[in-house]
Every structure is written in C-alpha cells, then in structure tokens.
Amino acid sequence: MSAIPASVRIVEVAPRDGLQNEKTIIPAAVKIELINRLSDCGLQTIEATSFVSPRWIPQLADAEEVYAGFTRKPGVDYPALVPNLRGYERAHAAGVTSIAVFTAASEAFNRRNINATIDESIERFRPVLERAKADGVPVRGYVSTVLGCPYQGEVPLADVVRVAKRLYELGCREISLGDTIGVGTPLKARAMLKAVAQEVPMDALAVHFHDTYDQALANILVCLEEGVQVVDSAVSGTGGCPYAQGATGNVASEDVAYMLQGMGIETGVDLDKLIETGHWLAKQLGKPTSSRVTRARMGI
Ligand code: HMG
Ligand code: MG
C-alpha cells in the first residue's frame, strides 16, 4: 500500500455524465450556469459536454451552444467527450482544448453504447488521437465496465488491463477506469486498480465510480490507498448512461470533497459552494439530491 496522496484532482462530470441520462431536455442556459457555478467552486477539471450523435444522446445535442456559452476561467480545463473523427471536428471547431474518448472492457456494453467492438472503437480513435496530437489537444481515455457489465456480467481483469494499456499506448494521457453500473466493492476495486497499474503508471490513472450500491466512497478510499490521485464525480450524485441498464448516478462530488477534506487531502474545492451548487442543480432537475453531505447540511 502506498501513502495516501496529499492532493487529489476531482474531475467534475455532472454537465456531461450527470445530464446525459436526463429524459427531459434541460435548457442550454441551465447547463451553462452549472458549468460557471462549478468553476466558481474551485474545480480545475469540468467535463462540459459530449460531441456524440444527437440521435444517441439527445440531451447533449446542444454541445456547441453550451461550449460557446460558459465563461472559461483561466487554469480550468473543460474537456468534452468525442466518439469519432466527426465528434473531434465538431469539438475542435467549438474551441475544445482537451477531449476524452471512450470504450469499454466488455464487448457487449460497447456494442450497445457505441455500436462497435472494442477493436473497432480503438481503430476509430486512432485518427482522433493523431489529429488531437497535431493540434496539441490532450486526450483522456475512458474504460467502462471495469468491475462488471450490465449485459455480460463478470468482466475479466485481463480485459480491463488490456484495454487500458491499449488506450495508453495509443496516446491517451490519462485513463479513467469506470465502474459504469456501480457494482464494485472495495477489494475488487483495489485488485482492478493494482492490475492496471502494472501496465499503466498510477499517475496516469483516474477512477470513476457510479454509486448504485452505495460502495463508491469505500472504493475511492482503497484506490487512494493505492496511490490514485484523480477521482471523477458529479455534483448532486447525478449521472448514468442510457445504454447501461440499472446504473444510477455518479458518486456525489460533495461527498467526495467532504471525505477528502476530512482526510486532510487538498482538492482546491470550496465545499460550501459545492453544496450550494448541488442543491441548486437538484432543484433544476426536480429530483432530490443523492448527496448525504448536502442533505445533512441543508437539513433535507
Ligand atoms: P452509429 O449509429 O453506429 O454511427 O453510432 P454512424 O456513423 O452510422 O452515425 C449515425 C448517425 O449519427 C449519422 O446521422 C451520423 O452522421 C451521426 P444520420 O446520417 O443518421 O442523420 N453522427 C454524429 N453526429 C454528430 N456528432 C457525431 C456523430 N457521429 C455520428 N460525433 C456513435 C456510433 C459512436 C456515433 C454513437 O453510438 C454515439 O454517438 N454513441 C454515444 C453514446 C454515449 O454518448 N454514451 C454515453 C457516454 S459513455 C459513458 O457514459 C460512460 C462513462 O461515463 C464512463 C463510465 O461510467 O464507465 C464515460
Ligand atoms: Mg459514467
């Protein structure tokens, strides 16, 4: 076990992962206000939107409008998801300065989410990474279903390691390991991270836990103990993928920030402002927050 890191970067994914699964179309103005509020909370990385097919994710069909609408705070990175070269071209035209590509460790999930095999998805990313490299745009790579798949069930660790290694070798600077349906538990999460870290340096890894079974904070804790320094989360615990049946929201950013602050780990995040933002977002979405910290602080 390595020492717990002194600082952690929270990658806030609410504007993308948090909203992509919402059935009612949220006005671009609300998305823009959310991103501005999040940067005001001190977050350094805010995943702003996706340049995917609007037929597949209608909620984020306004990616260009959103990307043009928020105030870019100096020092803050606003990545966007890109599934193919078409998405890259849209993102680049919108002025996106960092992107994320996404695939999975399970074939069954990939087929439903991006209509491609793992190999096909990697081949689609190759020209995207070439273009991004030429444009000086850093790329994050997501590996989904690292602790279980809604269609295939168990996902062999060797598959997770292989896909993470391929994305890293392709040129992704950071690899985010996603428990897409939130089925993981701490010992499995630790074993998965340790296995990937044999092939990809720990300082290039991030963890992305959905919180379906209330295991995310425990999973994050063991991953911090292994030395991971980048944690994905979504304010108010929003999130989910329409192509991952049974998945609920991401771990709430407020809960992650509270835990890290209590452990003396630097995040640069203003917890009070984050709680206010989570409370505001829950009201906009008309659904109760899943953040225990927000509920405790707000007495709700
Ligand atoms: P396809 O249907 O196989 O592809 O979709 P296609 O090339 O045949 O295109 C279909 C239509 O989409 C065409 O339009 C294309 O022009 C258009 P039509 O001619 O029929 O009118 N199209 C696009 N339009 C705009 N922007 C684009 C684009 N590409 C094609 N970039 C595709 C393949 C990958 C495009 C599709 O499956 C897709 O967009 N999937 C996105 C799914 C998605 O966003 N899922 C959620 C994100 S992943 C996630 O949440 C997990 C994560 O959080 C980590 C975790 O939790 O594990 C990251
Ligand atoms: Mg996710």
Side-chain angles (χ1 to χ4, degrees):
M1 204 187 283
S2 10
I4 287 201
S7 69
V8 161
R9 182 163 56 87
I10 295 179
V11 174
E12 173 59 57
V13 297
R16 191 278 304 171
D17 200 338
L19 301 186
Q20 70 185 10
N21 208 21
E22 290 295 318
K23 300 284 169 284
T24 310
I25 300 294
I26 299 150
V30 171
K31 295 169 179 165
I32 291 165
E33 181 172 351
L34 172 62
I35 297 169
N36 287 337
R37 280 174 177 260
L38 290 168
S39 66
D40 203 36
C41 293
L43 288 150
Q44 292 165 266
T45 312
I46 302 168
E47 201 172 69
T49 186
S50 303
F51 292 86
V52 295
S53 165
R55 278 212 282 140
W56 287 64
I57 307 281
Q59 182 62 256
L60 302 182
D62 57 3
E64 277 83 359
E65 187 183 351
V66 170
Y67 217 89
F70 62 82
T71 305
R72 294 193 202 189
K73 194 171 172 186
V76 178
D77 187 22
Y78 299 96
L81 249 61
V82 161
N84 51 19
L85 203 48
R86 168 95 188 273
Y88 182 78
E89 277 159 4
R90 287 178 57 205
H92 191 55
V96 174
T97 50
S98 89
I99 60 159
V101 294
F102 52 106
T103 187
S106 91
E107 293 289 1
F109 176 71
N110 250 355
R111 176 57 66 198
R112 284 169 177 85
N113 192 41
I114 53 174
N115 199 19
T117 63
I118 297 170
D119 283 348
E120 284 164 355
S121 69
I122 305 265
E123 285 316 307
R124 269 184 203 166
F125 300 156
R126 208 175 286 283
V128 172
L129 271 114
E130 278 166 16
R131 286 281 302 278
K133 191 175 176 193
D135 294 333
V137 169
V139 184
R140 163 182 252 220
Y142 277 103
V143 184
S144 286
T145 63
V146 297
L147 291 168
C149 168
Y151 309 105
Q152 165 184 324
E154 289 284 317
V155 176
L157 266 189
D159 293 351
V160 179
V161 174
R162 184 173 51 84
V163 176
K165 188 176 177 207
R166 283 184 75 183
L167 288 178
Y168 186 66
E169 286 173 351
L170 202 63
C172 293
R173 195 176 66 172
E174 184 169 277
I175 307 295
S176 177
L177 302 165
D179 182 10
T180 318
I181 51 170
V183 287
T185 44
L187 299 185
K188 286 184 184 162
R190 187 202 301 276
M192 183 277 299
L193 180 66
K194 280 178 88 160
V196 176
Q198 302 277 316
E199 300 291 342
V200 179
M202 187 63 86
D203 62 9
L205 294 176
V207 289
H208 178 111
F209 290 107
H210 286 258
D211 206 16
T212 318
Y213 291 90
D214 220 357
Q215 302 294 300
L217 284 180
N219 292 339
I220 290 169
L221 178 60
V222 295
C223 291
L224 293 172
E225 287 173 347
E226 289 305 320
V228 86
Q229 290 183 63
V230 183
V231 175
D232 299 359
S233 60
V235 74
S236 195
T238 46
C241 172
Y243 302 102
Q245 268 169 29
T248 61
N250 291 82
V251 64
S253 303
E254 304 91 304
D255 297 4
V256 172
Y258 178 86
M259 182 176 89
L260 296 176
Q261 195 180 75
M263 291 170 71
I265 298 173
E266 188 53 49
T267 60
V269 170
D270 180 327
L271 181 60
D272 292 333
K273 280 190 178 170
L274 198 59
I275 290 169
E276 274 170 36
T277 302
H279 190 52
W280 170 84
L281 180 60
K283 277 202 275 185
Q284 299 300 315
L285 300 180
K287 49 169 77 160
T289 178
S290 75
S291 163
R292 297 266 171 88
V293 169
T294 298
R295 292 208 304 256
R297 284 284 181 88
M298 296 283 174
I300 47 178

